Amino acid sequence: MKKTLVLGASDNPARYSYQAVHRLQRHGHEVVPVGIRKGQVAGLAIETDRPAAPDVDTVTLYVGPQNQPAWYDYILDLNPKRIIFNPGTENPELERLARQRGIETEEACTLVMLSAGQY
């Protein structure tokens, strides 16, 4: 299964990142939730710093492009196989930087991908 870092994780059930953590777990993926506020989601502590996360396959973004620059180095240094830009997180600059490092990028919805068996 694909180890996934959810950037922008939240303990608010109304947030898509909350739903993504739950659905990723239900589909058998290891999840690392990272957010700006401490909390718990799906029994996992939300990390508020930049935790070491070896062997990340996918980073799925729930942070708007205006707040992403502070995370660029962290995201890129994880060296994931891919970054998913969920609706509202699209960022041509980060996509370009990722592709320069050989990281695949997708503008897609993690929840839809999981539902359609395309994750």
Side-chain angles (χ1 to χ4, degrees):
M1 302 273 64
K2 297 174 181 163
K3 184 175 183 178
T4 302
L5 189 136
V6 177
L7 186 59
S10 172
D11 61 1
N12 180 345
R15 307 286 292 188
Y16 290 120
S17 63
Y18 176 95
Q19 295 173 34
V21 171
H22 281 271
R23 289 195 197 170
L24 284 161
Q25 278 192 327
R26 271 197 303 254
H27 281 85
H29 300 287
E30 181 180 349
V31 181
V32 180
V34 178
I36 58 170
R37 281 186 226 102
K38 288 197 179 284
Q40 292 237 334
V41 58
L44 301 170
I46 297 172
E47 301 281 346
T48 56
D49 52 3
R50 288 161 171 73
D55 304 319
V56 169
D57 179 87
T58 301
V59 173
T60 185
L61 295 176
Y62 291 93
V63 174
Q66 69 280 8
N67 295 317
Q68 291 172 14
W71 294 94
Y72 283 5
D73 289 338
Y74 176 67
I75 294 167
L76 297 171
D77 288 345
L78 288 170
N79 196 33
K81 290 187 177 116
R82 68 177 170 173
I83 299 171
I84 298 173
F85 292 84
N86 286 281
T89 68
E90 299 89 348
N91 180 341
E93 180 181 35
L94 181 54
E95 288 185 55
R96 181 181 49 78
L97 292 169
R99 284 193 302 269
Q100 286 174 350
R101 291 198 184 191
I103 300 168
E104 176 188 339
T105 63
E106 290 186 57
E107 290 183 5
C109 176
T110 297
L111 298 174
V112 171
M113 292 172 74
L114 287 165
S115 294
Q118 298 173 336
Y119 192 81

